[in-house]
Structures are given as C-alpha cells and as structure tokens.
Amino acid sequence: MGFICGFSIATGAAARLVSGYDSYGNICGQKNVKVDGIVNSGLDLTQKKYVFFLDPCNVDLVHRKIKSIALCVAACPRKELKTLADVQKFAETNGSNLCSYELLSSKYTTDSQASKLCPKLPVPESAPIPFFHRCAPVNISCYAKFAEALITFVSDSSVLHRLISGVMTSKEIIMGLCLLSLVLSMILMVIIRYISRVLVWILTILVVLGSLGGTGVLWWLYAKQTKFINETLTADQLQVAKDNLQALLVYAISATVFTVILFLIMLIMRKRVALTIALFHVAGKVFIHLPLLVFQPFWTFFALILFWSYWIMVLFFLGTTGSPVLNEQGFVEFQVLGPLRYMWWYHVVGLIWISEFILACQQMTVAGAVVTYYFTREKRNLPFTPILASVNRLVCYHLGTVAKGSFIITLVKIPRMILMYIHSQLKGKENACARCMLKACICCLWCLEKCLTYLNQNAYTATAINSTNFCTSAKDAFVILVENALRVAAINTVGDFMLFLGKVLIVCSTGLAGVMLLNYQRDYTVWVLPLIIICLFAFLVAHCFLSIYEMVVDVLFLCFAIDTKYNDGSPGREFYMDKILMEFVENSRKSMKEAGRGGGAEGRELKPMVGADEEVAILQEFHFYFLSLSVFTDCASSGEVFVVCITQNVLLFLFVSLPITWMAEFLSQLRPSPVKVS
C-alpha cells in the first residue's frame, strides 16, 4: 500500500488532485509540459489556480464524474452571469476567461462558436472548494437529481430540504443526546457491576415468561379464529379466514417448539448461569482497577478514522494517476495502463486487512491488560499503567500475531463480499435454486467469519498469557473452549443477550428523550432524520462500550478456565481468581461431593470442567433440535419450494455445526487422564 501511495504521488496524481487539471491535461497553477498529439497542452497557467466547469450541473451518475469541459481560471464567478456580455465583462474586470483558451475575451459576444466554447448560461454563482481549488456552485439545487439518485427514499426535493433543515435546526439537541447516550453507557456498565446477579436472573425469567406468553397468545388467537370460521361467511371471506388460520397454526406450533427448546436450554444451562454472573461481577472490578479500558473504543475509532482518511486520499490519487489518454470527446483523461491498473483491488484488500488489524490490536491490548490484572495476586501490586504495558508488549513482540489473525479474517470476508456483490447484481435473474445456494454460501462464510473472530480473540488472550505464536495460541485456546463448551455457550447466550438488551435500553432511552425534546421544537415537523442520527449514534456508542465489557468477560473466562485447569487451590498451586469465582468453584465441588462424584483423594483430582460424554451428548441433542426445527419451519412457511429452501440449513448443519462437534469429540479423546494430587 505504501508503494501504491508513492506511485500515485510520483506520477503527479497528488498535484492533479489538489491543484486540479483542465480537459487538456494541464495542472492549474503551474507551468506545464507539452504532450504530443494534445492541443492546448503545455500551457503556462501559473496565474490560473482554479478549475472551472462550463456545465457544472451535468453529472454522470454511472461514472461518478462531471461531463463538462474543465478550464483553469484566475477567479471563480462570485455572482450569477446571465448573458455572454456579463461573461465578457467578468473576464475584462477580473482577468479570468471563462471560455475556452482559443477564444479571446473580445470575441465572446461576436464569435459564432461562442455558444459551444463558453459556459452554459446562466453561469451560477460559485466559490472555490477549500484546499482543492475547484469552482463549485454556491446553490446546489442543480444537484437535486443526483441527490435523489443517491437517496432513493426522497422523491421530492422539498422533502430533502425539510430533512436537512430539520437536522440543522436541531443540531444542539442531537449533540446533547449523543452525549446523553455516552453517559448512559457508562452508567449501565456501573449498574451491571453491582446488580449483575439480579439482572441476569431477571432477564432469564423475562425471556422464558415472554416465550410462554407469546405462545399462549398465538394458541388463543388460533382457537378464536377457529370459532370465527364456523360462522356464516362468504366464499372469499372463508378462503381468507382459512389462510389466516393456517398461518396462525404454523406460528403457534413454531412458537411452541421454540419455547420448549428454550426451556430445555435454560434447564441445562441453569447451573452455568452462576459463572456468567460471577464473571460479570469480576469484569466490573476490572474496570475499577483499569479505568482507562473505557477509553479503548475512542483510541480505536481515532486510529480507524486516520487510516480511512488516508485510504480515501490514496483512492482519490489513484483516480487521477496514470498517463494522459484522449477520450471519445477528444479531451484528456488519466488512466493507468498494464497490470498496474489493478492496484485499486489491492488497495481495497488493504482496507479490509488493516481495519481488521486495528481492531485486533485493540483486542490484544485489552487481553494483555486483563490477563495482567487476573494473574496478579495482590491487586495493589498492579503495574502503574497495565494498558500501556500491554501496548508495549504488543508493539515489541506480537504485531505478527495480530497481523496473521486479521489476515485470516480477511481471507474469509473477501469471498463473502464477492458473493454478496454477485447476488446483488443477479437479483431477480437467477432461479430459486441458485438463489438459495448463493445465500447458503454467504451464510456459511458469515458463520465461519464469526467463529474465527471469536477464536482469534481467545488466541490473543492465550498469546498474552503464554507469549506463544498465533497458531500455538489458537490451538491452546480451542482446546480450552472445547473442554468448556457448555460454559462457553452459557456465557455467550446469557451474557450476550443481557448486553444486547442493554444496548436496546440505551437506544430506546435516548430515542424517547429525543422525541420529547423534539416535540417542544416547533420550527419544523420532520423528525425522521434527526431521530435516526440520534438512535444510530446511541447504538454505536453503546456497542463500543458494551463490546469492551463483553471482551473483558471473554478474557476473564479463558483465564478462569486455565486457572482451574492447572491449579486446584492446594499449597503451591493456589488459584489466581477473585473471591467470587472461588466461591463458585467451592460450590461446584460441594455439588459434586453431594452427587457422589467426589470425596477423599478424588476431591482433589484435577478434572475437566465439563465431562466429554455429557458435552458431546448435549451437542448432539442441540443438532437434532436445530435440524428438526429448521426443516419444519421451511416446510411450513414455503412448502412449494421445500427442497430448495432447506438447502441453507442442511449446509450449515453439515459443514459448520457437525464438523465442530466431531472435532470436539476427537479432542476429548485426546484429553489426558485425571492427575491425582498427593
């Protein structure tokens, strides 16, 4: 990417982008070299520093450019010029010729070619764009069609005007509510720290009760609709009623199956919810000892903004780099010839890879700081700046690790984006089978990307603990996760669901405050765009803060799993964990002793945190429920294309879920036998 940037600057792209160039290849504001075969090239335009378009409103939406002759002028017209006489007077007064170079200003009103060589009348009032020396119309109404093409939901320019004026009028409210979402996110993190135990159980109970209530309402509506059909109806009304009855039956049965499976999952996970509560409690303590973790999203966002700005700048360079070539109209365009014209493809790959690299650096930094906190027995002896120490280790030793992990994500993300582009281009042209197969492939790649992202994050944690390379860390982290598959499932379901509800709470609170504040503002009536901006920003802020919280919980869990795997609390092998996690371990040991699985020497036996037979059996039950429910849903919702629509679920089952289970079972067989501690 450095070569691409250097090449574009060396070939003059930077000067052409900043200073601008005319339709003959001359760069404005400097003396140019004559190009063979191109008229009006090689002019001395030292005194003409601005680019002026003869028809600035003639926009080509397909190629994203202005279809007009461009000239270098000494000044932009600061007021509207209605006639050629006004254009001539402007040239004589300001020394800025707005017509083509070969036409003298004295002939603007007499030459027969003046209508073609001079700008389209009336010439709109324009002003130079800062830093880019282009004359742009002050009144952008001529770009209304271009704006409507980009914003498809706007069919009337007056609607667009009202939306924009609404945003400008309420900019103080928008900024205040964005600050409110920031404060609410911080408050929620503190609340989760102190009421995590009650909050998790409340959410769990509400989910179960909500599922039961929704299922009951659907069956009640089905019974009511059945009674309604028995009454006297016309033929058309009877057909509509039967269709509604069938739909209600499908929804009711699907809701029942979902509720039963959810209830079974809750029963299976109920003993593991306690670990989620303990981890959330400890995560709150981490933020108390490491308050700078809260600001990690800001530094990451700042780094991404800097890189994206650089990327867009180089992309603009690439748009003006290359050799001068004449187009169909006889004007100059700059194009890169040969293999170098594909440089922008690599530039796009670099956008994905380096963006993932920056996010991976954040994960590695957080993991290193949390690992330092966890494995320090006396929290008073923590380093003065654990986060800066983590950054130092990252820069000195682990940049290759995050580069490799982000590259793996890039390798999966690029094919998915290509398939999504193909799907959008073939929309409405492919048959049902091809459409479902394409969607299935996109879905599988998306699932694989999410799994690899989660595995990468745990690999970074293992790297922070053991200082091993990426592949070794990924293998170690995967083995730990497989050994604790049910606990991972409990944390990812209960914990992530609770954090998701927290995001919804912040967005709803901010949106409600926005509605109340905008209701008192009578200057305009359109609230759509301001509310969308407020809610989007609130969600982004909540997601940034709570995703850091989620990341801390995941790192703590892996540290906890490693701690319990290699330590048992005996002298010389004391736990590093917090007191609340020790209470969880002691309660688990008491439960095992009461069940007859511990006692005497066995009570101090190092055992896997989850039994292999129990783990594989429950995963197989999950697969059975998942496949059965998917088949039933597809059959009920679209019976005429049942075989085609089931393809996606079968592919997910065969190529994602089933291989993971087999690998888990294989690794469980390689698990070493329990070690007796004397």
Side-chain angles (χ1 to χ4, degrees):
M1 293 186 71
F3 166 78
I4 292 173
C5 180
F7 172 79
S8 59
I9 294 175
T11 53
R16 284 193 288 269
L17 177 66
V18 176
S19 300
Y21 61 96
D22 61 14
S23 297
Y24 308 103
N26 300 300
I27 299 177
C28 299
Q30 68 180 47
K31 189 174 182 179
N32 296 273
V33 180
K34 176 69 176 179
V35 180
D36 295 335
I38 299 178
V39 297
N40 292 330
S41 64
L43 301 178
D44 185 1
L45 302 175
T46 307
Q47 302 301 322
K48 300 180 178 181
K49 300 181 179 181
Y50 303 102
V51 180
F52 176 76
F53 297 95
L54 299 188
D55 188 6
C57 296
N58 188 7
V59 180
D60 185 356
L61 297 180
V62 177
H63 298 93
R64 297 175 298 279
K65 63 181 181 179
I66 299 176
K67 295 177 62 176
S68 170
I69 298 176
L71 302 174
C72 294
V73 298
C76 302
R78 293 293 184 152
K79 63 179 182 178
E80 187 180 45
L81 307 177
K82 298 181 179 180
T83 63
L84 287 176
D86 293 337
V87 175
Q88 184 179 28
K89 183 179 179 181
F90 177 80
E92 293 173 352
T93 305
N94 299 280
S96 181
N97 298 333
L98 302 183
C99 296
S100 186
Y101 299 134
E102 63 267 20
L103 186 64
L104 298 176
S105 59
S106 59
K107 298 182 179 181
Y108 282 4
T109 56
T110 59
D111 197 298
S112 58
Q113 298 293 322
S115 59
K116 297 180 180 179
L117 300 178
C118 290
K120 183 179 179 180
L121 298 175
V123 180
E125 177 187 358
S126 61
I129 300 176
F131 307 111
F132 289 99
H133 303 89
R134 268 80 167 176
C135 295
V138 175
N139 185 0
I140 61 172
S141 59
C142 64
Y143 296 124
K145 293 183 179 179
F146 181 65
E148 290 174 13
L150 293 178
I151 309 173
T152 55
F153 66 86
V154 177
S155 58
D156 185 4
S157 59
S158 62
V159 176
L160 179 62
H161 177 74
R162 290 199 303 271
L163 289 174
I164 295 176
S165 64
V167 174
M168 296 305 296
T169 306
S170 60
K171 56 182 180 295
E172 293 86 3
I173 294 178
I174 293 175
M175 294 176 64
L177 290 174
C178 291
L179 183 62
L180 174 65
S181 65
L182 185 65
V183 175
L184 289 177
S185 299
M186 293 183 176
I187 293 175
L188 183 62
M189 294 178 69
V190 177
I191 291 175
I192 293 176
R193 154 74 172 86
Y194 288 103
I195 63 168
S196 56
R197 185 184 302 274
V198 179
L199 190 60
V200 169
W201 283 115
I202 288 176
L203 291 177
T204 304
I205 294 171
L206 286 178
V207 170
V208 174
L209 292 180
S211 301
L212 291 173
T215 304
V217 169
L218 287 173
W219 281 114
W220 175 75
L221 290 174
Y222 174 74
K224 185 178 179 180
Q225 189 75 9
T226 304
K227 187 182 297 184
F228 176 72
I229 287 181
N230 294 331
E231 299 177 2
T232 304
L233 296 173
T234 63
D236 294 339
Q237 292 176 340
L238 183 62
Q239 183 60 39
V240 173
K242 287 183 177 179
D243 292 340
N244 292 336
L245 185 67
Q246 183 179 4
L248 281 173
L249 179 62
V250 171
Y251 296 150
I253 294 176
S254 301
T256 303
V257 174
F258 173 78
T259 303
V260 171
I261 294 177
L262 179 65
F263 188 69
L264 291 175
I265 292 175
M266 291 298 180
L267 287 177
I268 295 172
M269 300 292 184
R270 70 187 186 280
K271 294 182 179 179
R272 295 169 176 83
V273 172
L275 178 58
T276 305
I277 296 171
L279 289 173
F280 269 74
H281 190 80
V282 177
K285 291 185 177 180
V286 171
F287 282 97
I288 292 176
H289 286 88
L290 307 176
L292 291 180
L293 280 178
V294 177
F295 299 99
Q296 286 304 303
F298 293 105
W299 305 124
T300 304
F301 182 72
F302 180 71
L304 287 173
I305 289 296
L306 287 180
F307 169 68
W308 290 342
S309 301
Y310 161 81
W311 188 88
I312 293 173
M313 179 189 69
V314 175
L315 186 65
F316 285 152
F317 285 169
L318 290 177
T320 57
T321 192
S323 304
V325 178
L326 289 176
N327 58 17
E328 295 82 1
Q329 290 79 27
F331 300 118
V332 173
E333 290 182 353
F334 290 92
Q335 297 179 0
V336 180
L337 304 177
L340 292 177
R341 66 179 181 271
Y342 301 110
M343 286 189 299
W344 71 276
W345 282 100
Y346 190 87
H347 196 57
V348 172
V349 174
L351 171 67
I352 302 173
W353 188 0
I354 297 183
S355 298
E356 293 293 332
F357 176 82
I358 293 173
L359 295 174
C361 287
Q362 172 185 276
Q363 295 174 354
M364 190 74 183
T365 301
V366 174
V370 176
V371 165
T372 301
Y373 169 84
Y374 186 94
F375 289 103
T376 301
R377 296 190 187 276
E378 292 293 334
K379 307 306 180 187
R380 293 173 296 180
N381 297 331
L382 281 170
F384 178 68
T385 54
I387 296 177
L388 292 181
S390 178
V391 172
N392 181 62
R393 289 194 300 270
L394 166 65
V395 174
C396 293
Y397 305 109
H398 302 311
L399 285 179
T401 299
V402 294
K404 186 181 292 185
S406 56
F407 181 67
I408 291 174
I409 300 297
T410 305
L411 289 180
V412 179
K413 185 169 286 189
I414 290 177
R416 182 170 66 86
M417 296 176 66
I418 293 174
L419 290 178
M420 292 175 64
Y421 174 76
I422 294 173
H423 179 262
S424 64
Q425 294 298 312
L426 298 178
K427 203 166 188 178
K429 300 178 182 178
E430 76 278 15
N431 56 32
C433 182
R435 181 170 61 253
C436 287
M437 290 294 292
L438 198 59
K439 287 184 177 180
C441 293
I442 293 173
C443 185
C444 288
L445 288 173
W446 181 84
C447 293
L448 180 60
E449 179 186 336
K450 295 303 177 184
C451 293
L452 289 175
T453 301
Y454 182 72
L455 182 60
N456 279 2
Q457 181 178 329
N458 287 278
Y460 300 146
T461 305
T463 299
I465 296 173
N466 300 322
S467 294
T468 50
N469 59 49
F470 177 79
C471 295
T472 304
S473 300
K475 182 195 69 174
D476 295 340
F478 183 75
V479 171
I480 293 292
L481 293 176
V482 169
E483 291 177 350
N484 301 273
L486 291 180
R487 283 178 171 174
V488 172
I491 292 170
N492 286 336
T493 51
V494 179
D496 292 356
F497 181 71
M498 187 175 73
L499 294 177
F500 171 75
L501 289 184
K503 298 174 188 178
V504 173
L505 177 64
I506 292 173
V507 172
C508 292
S509 302
T510 309
L512 180 61
V515 171
M516 295 176 64
L517 290 175
L518 293 172
N519 186 42
Y520 289 102
Q521 185 170 316
R522 304 298 182 181
D523 296 336
Y524 66 97
T525 57
V526 181
W527 295 354
V528 177
L529 197 54
L531 278 179
I532 289 176
I533 294 174
I534 291 168
C535 292
L536 281 178
F537 188 85
F539 180 80
L540 289 175
V541 170
H543 176 73
C544 288
F545 277 92
L546 295 181
S547 63
I548 291 291
Y549 204 99
E550 178 184 355
M551 198 182 304
V552 170
V553 170
D554 291 336
V555 174
L556 286 174
F557 170 74
L558 196 65
C559 295
F560 170 76
I562 294 175
D563 193 10
T564 53
K565 183 175 182 179
Y566 295 104
N567 299 309
D568 60 355
S570 59
R573 301 179 64 180
E574 295 85 358
F575 290 122
Y576 287 91
M577 64 185 68
D578 192 84
K579 289 182 179 180
I580 188 171
L581 289 175
M582 288 185 182
E583 292 176 1
F584 170 80
V585 173
E586 290 300 324
N587 293 335
S588 300
R589 287 180 174 178
K590 290 178 182 178
S591 301
M592 293 177 65
K593 289 180 180 180
E594 292 174 359
R597 288 183 287 178
E602 285 190 25
R604 296 175 60 186
E605 182 180 335
L606 290 181
K607 297 182 178 180
M609 296 174 69
V610 177
D613 297 335
E614 177 191 4
E615 176 185 320
V616 175
I618 294 178
L619 285 174
Q620 290 173 349
E621 291 180 16
F622 283 167
H623 293 158
F624 173 75
Y625 290 137
F626 166 75
L627 191 59
S628 301
L629 184 60
S630 301
V631 170
F632 176 79
T633 305
D634 286 333
C635 181
S637 60
S638 52
E640 67 277 4
V641 287
F642 166 67
V643 177
V644 176
C645 288
I646 198 178
T647 306
Q648 179 176 347
N649 296 315
V650 173
L651 286 174
L652 277 174
F653 177 74
L654 293 178
F655 296 107
V656 178
S657 185
L658 199 59
I660 290 177
T661 303
W662 288 344
M663 191 173 296
E665 187 172 3
F666 173 73
L667 290 174
S668 67
Q669 300 300 323
L670 300 179
R671 189 180 296 158
S673 58
V675 179
K676 301 283 186 174
V677 180
S678 57

